[in-house]
Amino acid sequence: MKPREIKPDVLWAGAIDWDRRLFDSLIPLPDGTSYNSYLIKGSQKTALIDTVDPSVQDVLINHLDELGIDTLDYVIANHAEQDHSGAIPRVLQKHPEAQVIATPRCKDMLIDLLMIPEEKFITVNDGETISLGNRTLEFIHAPWVHWPETMLTYLREDKILFPCDLFGSHLATTDLYVSDEGQVYEAAKRYYAEIMMPFRTNIQKHLGKIKDYAIDIIAPSHGPMYDKPEFILKAYREWVFDQPKNIVVLPYISMHGSTRQMVAHLVEALVQRGVTVKQFDLSVTDIGKLAIELVDAATVVIGTPTVLTGPHPNVVYAASLANALKPKIKFVSIIGSYGWGGKAVEQLAGMIPNLKVEILEPVLCKGAPKQAEFEALDNLANTIDEKHKENNFV
Ligand code: FEO
């Protein structure tokens, strides 16, 4: 897609990656993604905010040529991860006059990752500005979204915030701005769940820091821009601040049907008590969907058969992911069937040290579930319902 004007002399100059289906060799991208680079032509200086993934660096270079950029003064590196920084060496090759503006920590990382020469950098402190003539860029340090070196850039005269990954969404679209709010809400929530959730206390502080800025447009480096910034700011406030909701997430695996019967019984018992349940068969689920539901859930119940004395490997993967993502869940329990013994509960409990949760009494069953296990599952549903009500999770 050709460069597109946002405001006079402020342009989107990125690349849409319609076909990418995996990020970090881990995260599913059902809707592709974009790497948004922005060009700002001031009356005296020209700056490029973030670049693109190296796989599409020629797209960015062609944009700069098409726009007739003879002199590029600054490349602003809000974030050192290569999907935004990876084309900087190519841009510097094309424009050796340009200097890279970054936080001190970002500079070190770009030297490590991309071997950019040290003399190419100008480092900026929190709140520092540079003038492009008739336009001013202000740099807001915002570490840990989601790496330690990150900053946001604010274009004062046009009231545009360029937050790089923060507020982004993995979504390939021809829309410059959000048009389908439902679609973008889900994509942004998925992005938050997979990338930002482990850092939500840092993000709480950053939301406070930008609270008093006048912002007309938020221009992230993935997905469409927000010309109604309150849409994404409100969503982030709910995701990072609010207490969990009256929701149980139930990821499970069943090999011969016994654990599935237990899951079905517990889901029904919870629903009868007014608890919302999000059930995921881990043998087929999109792990990003599971991550989305972890954003708001109060309780996770893991369903697993015992395999070779421990939990099923797919369950181990899901537990490890939940532990890394650090959702705001408060309670965890484990249900499942075993053939002759094992340590599934002990092993799973040891895999989630990051989750500051109360473990509710597990329900394990030798072989197929019988009356005693169904009653135990009803008791677990009672306990979950009571805990949610005591804590006013609605
Ligand atoms: Fe989009 Fe952290 O890179």
PDB file of all heavy atoms in Angstrom, residues 23-24 34-35 79-84 145-147 149-150 164-165 170 191 195-196 221-222, ligand 1:
ATOM      1  N   PHE A  23       4.031 -15.036  15.076  1.00  0.00           N
ATOM      2  CA  PHE A  23       4.974 -14.018  15.536  1.00  0.00           C
ATOM      3  C   PHE A  23       5.833 -14.646  16.635  1.00  0.00           C
ATOM      4  O   PHE A  23       5.336 -15.398  17.465  1.00  0.00           O
ATOM      5  CB  PHE A  23       4.203 -12.811  16.092  1.00  0.00           C
ATOM      6  CG  PHE A  23       5.034 -11.580  16.191  1.00  0.00           C
ATOM      7  CD1 PHE A  23       5.179 -10.742  15.090  1.00  0.00           C
ATOM      8  CD2 PHE A  23       5.700 -11.266  17.354  1.00  0.00           C
ATOM      9  CE1 PHE A  23       5.963  -9.612  15.158  1.00  0.00           C
ATOM     10  CE2 PHE A  23       6.486 -10.142  17.432  1.00  0.00           C
ATOM     11  CZ  PHE A  23       6.623  -9.309  16.336  1.00  0.00           C
ATOM     12  N   ASP A  24       7.097 -14.289  16.651  1.00  0.00           N
ATOM     13  CA  ASP A  24       8.030 -14.861  17.632  1.00  0.00           C
ATOM     14  C   ASP A  24       8.019 -16.394  17.578  1.00  0.00           C
ATOM     15  O   ASP A  24       8.307 -17.053  18.587  1.00  0.00           O
ATOM     16  CB  ASP A  24       7.692 -14.414  19.060  1.00  0.00           C
ATOM     17  CG  ASP A  24       7.968 -12.936  19.283  1.00  0.00           C
ATOM     18  OD1 ASP A  24       8.681 -12.335  18.465  1.00  0.00           O
ATOM     19  OD2 ASP A  24       7.469 -12.392  20.288  1.00  0.00           O
ATOM     20  N   SER A  34       0.551  -5.499  10.676  1.00  0.00           N
ATOM     21  CA  SER A  34       1.194  -4.415   9.920  1.00  0.00           C
ATOM     22  C   SER A  34       2.353  -3.891  10.749  1.00  0.00           C
ATOM     23  O   SER A  34       2.394  -4.077  11.972  1.00  0.00           O
ATOM     24  CB  SER A  34       0.205  -3.281   9.610  1.00  0.00           C
ATOM     25  OG  SER A  34      -0.225  -2.659  10.803  1.00  0.00           O
ATOM     26  N   TYR A  35       3.311  -3.289  10.067  1.00  0.00           N
ATOM     27  CA  TYR A  35       4.424  -2.605  10.731  1.00  0.00           C
ATOM     28  C   TYR A  35       4.293  -1.153  10.304  1.00  0.00           C
ATOM     29  O   TYR A  35       4.599  -0.802   9.164  1.00  0.00           O
ATOM     30  CB  TYR A  35       5.767  -3.194  10.290  1.00  0.00           C
ATOM     31  CG  TYR A  35       5.737  -4.707  10.191  1.00  0.00           C
ATOM     32  CD1 TYR A  35       5.678  -5.337   8.962  1.00  0.00           C
ATOM     33  CD2 TYR A  35       5.724  -5.494  11.344  1.00  0.00           C
ATOM     34  CE1 TYR A  35       5.617  -6.716   8.857  1.00  0.00           C
ATOM     35  CE2 TYR A  35       5.656  -6.877  11.253  1.00  0.00           C
ATOM     36  CZ  TYR A  35       5.599  -7.477   9.999  1.00  0.00           C
ATOM     37  OH  TYR A  35       5.525  -8.839   9.908  1.00  0.00           O
ATOM     38  N   HIS A  79      11.393   1.519  20.028  1.00  0.00           N
ATOM     39  CA  HIS A  79      11.465   0.146  20.558  1.00  0.00           C
ATOM     40  C   HIS A  79      12.511  -0.603  19.734  1.00  0.00           C
ATOM     41  O   HIS A  79      12.582  -0.439  18.508  1.00  0.00           O
ATOM     42  CB  HIS A  79      10.068  -0.465  20.393  1.00  0.00           C
ATOM     43  CG  HIS A  79       9.896  -1.885  20.818  1.00  0.00           C
ATOM     44  ND1 HIS A  79      10.684  -2.521  21.762  1.00  0.00           N
ATOM     45  CD2 HIS A  79       8.967  -2.806  20.423  1.00  0.00           C
ATOM     46  CE1 HIS A  79      10.246  -3.761  21.912  1.00  0.00           C
ATOM     47  NE2 HIS A  79       9.220  -3.958  21.121  1.00  0.00           N
ATOM     48  N   ALA A  80      13.311  -1.427  20.386  1.00  0.00           N
ATOM     49  CA  ALA A  80      14.425  -2.092  19.698  1.00  0.00           C
ATOM     50  C   ALA A  80      14.042  -3.410  19.036  1.00  0.00           C
ATOM     51  O   ALA A  80      14.851  -3.982  18.320  1.00  0.00           O
ATOM     52  CB  ALA A  80      15.567  -2.343  20.689  1.00  0.00           C
ATOM     53  N   GLU A  81      12.821  -3.917  19.289  1.00  0.00           N
ATOM     54  CA  GLU A  81      12.487  -5.216  18.689  1.00  0.00           C
ATOM     55  C   GLU A  81      12.491  -5.086  17.166  1.00  0.00           C
ATOM     56  O   GLU A  81      12.047  -4.081  16.596  1.00  0.00           O
ATOM     57  CB  GLU A  81      11.132  -5.738  19.194  1.00  0.00           C
ATOM     58  CG  GLU A  81      10.942  -7.203  18.818  1.00  0.00           C
ATOM     59  CD  GLU A  81       9.788  -7.888  19.538  1.00  0.00           C
ATOM     60  OE1 GLU A  81       8.969  -7.211  20.176  1.00  0.00           O
ATOM     61  OE2 GLU A  81       9.715  -9.137  19.424  1.00  0.00           O
ATOM     62  N   GLN A  82      12.947  -6.156  16.516  1.00  0.00           N
ATOM     63  CA  GLN A  82      13.310  -6.056  15.097  1.00  0.00           C
ATOM     64  C   GLN A  82      12.133  -5.818  14.161  1.00  0.00           C
ATOM     65  O   GLN A  82      12.353  -5.374  13.031  1.00  0.00           O
ATOM     66  CB  GLN A  82      14.067  -7.323  14.676  1.00  0.00           C
ATOM     67  CG  GLN A  82      15.447  -7.441  15.285  1.00  0.00           C
ATOM     68  CD  GLN A  82      15.452  -8.202  16.603  1.00  0.00           C
ATOM     69  OE1 GLN A  82      14.485  -8.161  17.365  1.00  0.00           O
ATOM     70  NE2 GLN A  82      16.540  -8.905  16.890  1.00  0.00           N
ATOM     71  N   ASP A  83      10.898  -6.103  14.591  1.00  0.00           N
ATOM     72  CA  ASP A  83       9.783  -5.813  13.682  1.00  0.00           C
ATOM     73  C   ASP A  83       9.585  -4.305  13.488  1.00  0.00           C
ATOM     74  O   ASP A  83       8.881  -3.890  12.568  1.00  0.00           O
ATOM     75  CB  ASP A  83       8.475  -6.489  14.140  1.00  0.00           C
ATOM     76  CG  ASP A  83       8.104  -6.181  15.570  1.00  0.00           C
ATOM     77  OD1 ASP A  83       8.997  -6.072  16.426  1.00  0.00           O
ATOM     78  OD2 ASP A  83       6.893  -6.056  15.850  1.00  0.00           O
ATOM     79  N   HIS A  84      10.223  -3.504  14.327  1.00  0.00           N
ATOM     80  CA  HIS A  84      10.195  -2.038  14.154  1.00  0.00           C
ATOM     81  C   HIS A  84      11.579  -1.452  13.892  1.00  0.00           C
ATOM     82  O   HIS A  84      11.690  -0.392  13.286  1.00  0.00           O
ATOM     83  CB  HIS A  84       9.580  -1.368  15.387  1.00  0.00           C
ATOM     84  CG  HIS A  84       8.293  -1.988  15.785  1.00  0.00           C
ATOM     85  ND1 HIS A  84       7.154  -1.883  15.012  1.00  0.00           N
ATOM     86  CD2 HIS A  84       7.955  -2.780  16.832  1.00  0.00           C
ATOM     87  CE1 HIS A  84       6.183  -2.581  15.572  1.00  0.00           C
ATOM     88  NE2 HIS A  84       6.639  -3.143  16.671  1.00  0.00           N
ATOM     89  N   VAL A 145       7.104  -1.873  27.967  1.00  0.00           N
ATOM     90  CA  VAL A 145       5.939  -2.165  27.113  1.00  0.00           C
ATOM     91  C   VAL A 145       6.462  -2.666  25.765  1.00  0.00           C
ATOM     92  O   VAL A 145       6.357  -1.988  24.794  1.00  0.00           O
ATOM     93  CB  VAL A 145       5.006  -0.953  26.931  1.00  0.00           C
ATOM     94  CG1 VAL A 145       4.278  -0.607  28.181  1.00  0.00           C
ATOM     95  CG2 VAL A 145       5.718   0.262  26.387  1.00  0.00           C
ATOM     96  N   HIS A 146       6.931  -3.776  25.704  1.00  0.00           N
ATOM     97  CA  HIS A 146       7.050  -4.884  26.612  1.00  0.00           C
ATOM     98  C   HIS A 146       8.510  -5.272  26.841  1.00  0.00           C
ATOM     99  O   HIS A 146       8.792  -6.330  27.389  1.00  0.00           O
ATOM    100  CB  HIS A 146       6.296  -6.095  26.042  1.00  0.00           C
ATOM    101  CG  HIS A 146       6.764  -6.436  24.628  1.00  0.00           C
ATOM    102  ND1 HIS A 146       7.271  -7.664  24.300  1.00  0.00           N
ATOM    103  CD2 HIS A 146       6.860  -5.693  23.497  1.00  0.00           C
ATOM    104  CE1 HIS A 146       7.622  -7.680  23.008  1.00  0.00           C
ATOM    105  NE2 HIS A 146       7.386  -6.490  22.513  1.00  0.00           N
ATOM    106  N   TRP A 147       9.423  -4.407  26.344  1.00  0.00           N
ATOM    107  CA  TRP A 147      10.850  -4.573  26.604  1.00  0.00           C
ATOM    108  C   TRP A 147      11.293  -3.428  27.519  1.00  0.00           C
ATOM    109  O   TRP A 147      10.544  -2.455  27.707  1.00  0.00           O
ATOM    110  CB  TRP A 147      11.634  -4.534  25.275  1.00  0.00           C
ATOM    111  CG  TRP A 147      11.619  -5.803  24.459  1.00  0.00           C
ATOM    112  CD1 TRP A 147      10.787  -6.877  24.609  1.00  0.00           C
ATOM    113  CD2 TRP A 147      12.494  -6.114  23.352  1.00  0.00           C
ATOM    114  NE1 TRP A 147      11.093  -7.836  23.655  1.00  0.00           N
ATOM    115  CE2 TRP A 147      12.130  -7.399  22.878  1.00  0.00           C
ATOM    116  CE3 TRP A 147      13.538  -5.453  22.713  1.00  0.00           C
ATOM    117  CZ2 TRP A 147      12.775  -8.031  21.808  1.00  0.00           C
ATOM    118  CZ3 TRP A 147      14.181  -6.070  21.647  1.00  0.00           C
ATOM    119  CH2 TRP A 147      13.802  -7.340  21.210  1.00  0.00           C
ATOM    120  N   GLU A 149      13.398  -1.007  27.188  1.00  0.00           N
ATOM    121  CA  GLU A 149      13.975   0.211  26.606  1.00  0.00           C
ATOM    122  C   GLU A 149      12.955   1.142  25.978  1.00  0.00           C
ATOM    123  O   GLU A 149      13.321   2.139  25.374  1.00  0.00           O
ATOM    124  CB  GLU A 149      14.994  -0.215  25.530  1.00  0.00           C
ATOM    125  CG  GLU A 149      14.420  -0.516  24.135  1.00  0.00           C
ATOM    126  CD  GLU A 149      13.386  -1.627  24.049  1.00  0.00           C
ATOM    127  OE1 GLU A 149      13.056  -2.243  25.072  1.00  0.00           O
ATOM    128  OE2 GLU A 149      12.851  -1.852  22.953  1.00  0.00           O
ATOM    129  N   THR A 150      11.670   0.845  26.103  1.00  0.00           N
ATOM    130  CA  THR A 150      10.659   1.465  25.246  1.00  0.00           C
ATOM    131  C   THR A 150      10.339   2.920  25.614  1.00  0.00           C
ATOM    132  O   THR A 150      10.427   3.328  26.762  1.00  0.00           O
ATOM    133  CB  THR A 150       9.358   0.635  25.288  1.00  0.00           C
ATOM    134  OG1 THR A 150       9.122   0.203  26.632  1.00  0.00           O
ATOM    135  CG2 THR A 150       9.477  -0.588  24.426  1.00  0.00           C
ATOM    136  N   CYS A 164       4.249   2.995  19.516  1.00  0.00           N
ATOM    137  CA  CYS A 164       4.831   1.741  19.032  1.00  0.00           C
ATOM    138  C   CYS A 164       3.936   0.562  19.394  1.00  0.00           C
ATOM    139  O   CYS A 164       2.778   0.554  19.033  1.00  0.00           O
ATOM    140  CB  CYS A 164       6.265   1.556  19.510  1.00  0.00           C
ATOM    141  SG  CYS A 164       7.138   0.324  18.502  1.00  0.00           S
ATOM    142  N   ASP A 165       4.428  -0.421  20.147  1.00  0.00           N
ATOM    143  CA  ASP A 165       3.611  -1.615  20.421  1.00  0.00           C
ATOM    144  C   ASP A 165       2.379  -1.323  21.283  1.00  0.00           C
ATOM    145  O   ASP A 165       1.339  -1.986  21.134  1.00  0.00           O
ATOM    146  CB  ASP A 165       4.449  -2.663  21.165  1.00  0.00           C
ATOM    147  CG  ASP A 165       5.301  -3.519  20.240  1.00  0.00           C
ATOM    148  OD1 ASP A 165       5.073  -3.505  19.022  1.00  0.00           O
ATOM    149  OD2 ASP A 165       6.201  -4.201  20.764  1.00  0.00           O
ATOM    150  N   HIS A 170      -2.483  -6.892  16.118  1.00  0.00           N
ATOM    151  CA  HIS A 170      -2.013  -7.614  14.938  1.00  0.00           C
ATOM    152  C   HIS A 170      -3.197  -7.767  13.995  1.00  0.00           C
ATOM    153  O   HIS A 170      -4.032  -8.675  14.149  1.00  0.00           O
ATOM    154  CB  HIS A 170      -1.451  -8.980  15.335  1.00  0.00           C
ATOM    155  CG  HIS A 170      -0.071  -8.917  15.919  1.00  0.00           C
ATOM    156  ND1 HIS A 170       0.962  -8.236  15.318  1.00  0.00           N
ATOM    157  CD2 HIS A 170       0.452  -9.455  17.054  1.00  0.00           C
ATOM    158  CE1 HIS A 170       2.070  -8.356  16.049  1.00  0.00           C
ATOM    159  NE2 HIS A 170       1.779  -9.076  17.115  1.00  0.00           N
ATOM    160  N   TYR A 191      -3.770  -8.909  21.421  1.00  0.00           N
ATOM    161  CA  TYR A 191      -2.413  -8.360  21.445  1.00  0.00           C
ATOM    162  C   TYR A 191      -1.999  -8.017  22.885  1.00  0.00           C
ATOM    163  O   TYR A 191      -0.897  -8.351  23.330  1.00  0.00           O
ATOM    164  CB  TYR A 191      -2.359  -7.098  20.567  1.00  0.00           C
ATOM    165  CG  TYR A 191      -0.979  -6.575  20.368  1.00  0.00           C
ATOM    166  CD1 TYR A 191      -0.180  -7.048  19.330  1.00  0.00           C
ATOM    167  CD2 TYR A 191      -0.444  -5.624  21.228  1.00  0.00           C
ATOM    168  CE1 TYR A 191       1.107  -6.584  19.158  1.00  0.00           C
ATOM    169  CE2 TYR A 191       0.834  -5.157  21.057  1.00  0.00           C
ATOM    170  CZ  TYR A 191       1.605  -5.636  20.022  1.00  0.00           C
ATOM    171  OH  TYR A 191       2.886  -5.175  19.861  1.00  0.00           O
ATOM    172  N   ILE A 195       1.049  -9.964  24.690  1.00  0.00           N
ATOM    173  CA  ILE A 195       2.286  -9.179  24.712  1.00  0.00           C
ATOM    174  C   ILE A 195       2.398  -8.309  25.966  1.00  0.00           C
ATOM    175  O   ILE A 195       3.478  -8.188  26.559  1.00  0.00           O
ATOM    176  CB  ILE A 195       2.350  -8.235  23.478  1.00  0.00           C
ATOM    177  CG1 ILE A 195       2.092  -8.997  22.197  1.00  0.00           C
ATOM    178  CG2 ILE A 195       3.677  -7.465  23.442  1.00  0.00           C
ATOM    179  CD1 ILE A 195       3.220  -9.823  21.667  1.00  0.00           C
ATOM    180  N   MET A 196       1.309  -7.671  26.336  1.00  0.00           N
ATOM    181  CA  MET A 196       1.381  -6.620  27.362  1.00  0.00           C
ATOM    182  C   MET A 196       0.954  -7.058  28.757  1.00  0.00           C
ATOM    183  O   MET A 196       1.365  -6.443  29.746  1.00  0.00           O
ATOM    184  CB  MET A 196       0.501  -5.430  26.950  1.00  0.00           C
ATOM    185  CG  MET A 196       0.930  -4.757  25.668  1.00  0.00           C
ATOM    186  SD  MET A 196       2.555  -3.985  25.881  1.00  0.00           S
ATOM    187  CE  MET A 196       2.933  -3.532  24.191  1.00  0.00           C
ATOM    188  N   SER A 221       2.220   1.044  16.169  1.00  0.00           N
ATOM    189  CA  SER A 221       3.056   0.476  15.110  1.00  0.00           C
ATOM    190  C   SER A 221       2.568  -0.887  14.615  1.00  0.00           C
ATOM    191  O   SER A 221       3.231  -1.524  13.808  1.00  0.00           O
ATOM    192  CB  SER A 221       4.514   0.396  15.573  1.00  0.00           C
ATOM    193  OG  SER A 221       5.014   1.712  15.664  1.00  0.00           O
ATOM    194  N   HIS A 222       1.425  -1.343  15.128  1.00  0.00           N
ATOM    195  CA  HIS A 222       0.724  -2.499  14.547  1.00  0.00           C
ATOM    196  C   HIS A 222      -0.768  -2.161  14.491  1.00  0.00           C
ATOM    197  O   HIS A 222      -1.324  -1.650  15.473  1.00  0.00           O
ATOM    198  CB  HIS A 222       0.854  -3.764  15.409  1.00  0.00           C
ATOM    199  CG  HIS A 222       2.241  -4.303  15.557  1.00  0.00           C
ATOM    200  ND1 HIS A 222       2.944  -4.873  14.520  1.00  0.00           N
ATOM    201  CD2 HIS A 222       3.050  -4.386  16.639  1.00  0.00           C
ATOM    202  CE1 HIS A 222       4.127  -5.284  14.962  1.00  0.00           C
ATOM    203  NE2 HIS A 222       4.220  -4.995  16.247  1.00  0.00           N
TER     204      HIS A 222
HETATM  205 FE1  FEO B   1       6.023  -5.045  17.621  1.00  0.00          FE
HETATM  206 FE2  FEO B   1       7.737  -5.570  20.487  1.00  0.00          FE
HETATM  207  O1  FEO B   1       7.485  -5.456  18.670  1.00  0.00           O
END
